[in-house]
Amino acid sequence: MTAILRRLVLTGLGAALCACAARPAPPMKSYVLGMARADYRDYAGAKANPCDAEPRWLADELTAVNSLLARFLRETERAHRPEAPDHAQQAALLQEATRTLPPVLEVHRGTLAGLEQCGFRRSGAFPEIARRGAELLEASRTRLAEAPKALEAAKRGEAVRKWKEEAPAREASARGNWCPEKPQVGQAVAYYVRQDADGRTVAHFCDGHRVEQAAGGEPQLIEPEGLSRAMRRRVQPKLYLEAAANFPAEEMDRHPDLVPAKGPEATGTAAGGTP
């Protein structure tokens, strides 16, 4: 073999070896969560080395995912609080993240782990990118792990908020269904009984009387204002106490925390009267 031929063979072999050693960069992927978007590459999944990437591009990719995770954490921190103005949006974002974010977290973890082997890992912004990335990964995993409990609490809280907000309308509806147009004082007709989270019950009567009872306490008859002496003589407290005690439990307007069943009835049952 001539010297020229040997040189060509060695040159070709070297080029082939270089081609095998340098894998092509993994394809770029895009991930969107809410209003945030990040473009990144899955180096570990493609069995590629992030150290072979152009450092500026790798820094941009890692920073993009870090920014997305920071926004995710910021925009879901009140997902468990139904009283928050943006609760519905935050809960929806958290719900979406539980389905789609875990694979992105795994890719980010793998790339950050690979970065530790790179010669440029201590240069430029890489130390802060790695530190921030690890911090955001841990916080995001915790947020996702707590998501089912947070979403359930938010759902329950929303049911409580709705129950309280709609209570006056339910009481008015019960009064219209069970009370005559001109109730007579002394007729112990209970039309609505409300039970709060602490077990306190309040029974409302058509003539304006109420029977209030704290959990484990004795019932107390509360008379309406403006009763004349003659009207008071017509009132027999025993009848009101008995009517309150015998009000059907299934017709009470109960706080959602006291209603184990799931579904529309968990927001409070419609109250009805007792003759």
Side-chain angles (χ1 to χ4, degrees):
M1 183 180 295
T2 66
I4 295 176
L5 183 57
R6 283 199 301 272
R7 189 180 300 115
L8 290 174
V9 171
L10 292 174
T11 300
L13 181 59
L17 290 174
C18 290
C20 293
R23 292 178 177 271
M28 187 71 76
K29 296 183 178 183
S30 292
Y31 175 67
V32 177
L33 180 62
M35 299 298 292
R37 170 178 171 160
D39 295 328
Y40 64 95
R41 300 178 194 273
D42 183 1
Y43 294 92
K47 294 182 172 55
N49 189 347
C51 302
D52 294 333
E54 164 60 44
R56 289 174 299 174
W57 297 347
L58 181 62
D60 288 344
E61 294 168 22
L62 292 172
T63 299
V65 178
N66 278 355
S67 297
L68 181 140
L69 296 182
R71 184 166 182 174
F72 157 66
L73 292 168
R74 185 171 63 252
E75 295 183 354
T76 57
E77 62 185 0
R78 295 184 299 278
H80 64 292
R81 295 172 50 196
E83 72 278 8
D86 56 350
H87 161 258
Q89 296 92 326
Q90 294 218 3
L93 185 65
L94 182 58
Q95 184 69 57
E96 179 186 351
T98 60
R99 298 191 303 269
T100 64
L101 187 56
V104 178
L105 295 180
E106 183 60 24
V107 169
H108 199 46
R109 182 201 64 77
T111 304
L112 289 172
L115 176 63
E116 291 300 311
Q117 308 304 316
C118 300
F120 52 76
R121 67 185 183 280
R122 300 187 188 280
S123 64
F126 281 108
E128 176 59 20
I129 290 173
R131 184 200 68 78
R132 181 65 171 151
E135 180 182 89
L136 291 167
L137 272 176
E138 181 64 24
S140 296
R141 285 171 173 163
T142 299
R143 181 66 51 84
L144 292 181
E146 295 174 349
K149 184 177 179 180
L151 290 171
E152 180 59 30
K155 181 179 177 182
R156 200 68 174 173
E158 177 62 19
V160 171
R161 183 198 64 75
K162 186 177 180 181
W163 179 77
K164 291 180 178 179
E165 185 178 273
E166 297 178 353
R170 291 194 299 274
E171 180 186 347
S173 176
R175 174 182 283 277
N177 288 336
W178 296 97
C179 296
E181 185 175 347
K182 295 182 179 181
Q184 298 298 310
V185 174
Q187 294 182 349
V189 178
Y191 69 90
Y192 176 83
V193 176
R194 172 188 171 112
Q195 187 173 43
D196 291 322
D198 59 3
R200 176 178 176 270
T201 60
V202 179
H204 295 258
F205 290 80
C206 294
D207 64 357
H209 280 81
R210 301 192 314 276
V211 171
E212 300 183 0
Q213 183 176 13
E218 293 295 324
Q220 302 291 327
L221 178 63
I222 310 299
E223 68 176 35
E225 296 182 358
L227 290 186
S228 65
R229 187 173 299 177
M231 290 178 177
R232 289 193 181 94
R233 284 198 294 267
R234 294 202 296 267
V235 174
Q236 299 182 48
K238 181 180 178 181
L239 296 180
Y240 290 85
L241 298 178
E242 289 178 349
N246 294 325
F247 195 90
E250 66 274 11
E251 293 184 9
M252 288 185 183
D253 189 10
R254 305 174 108 177
H255 189 283
D257 287 349
L258 303 179
V259 183
K262 296 182 179 179
E265 66 272 19
T267 61
T269 55
T274 56

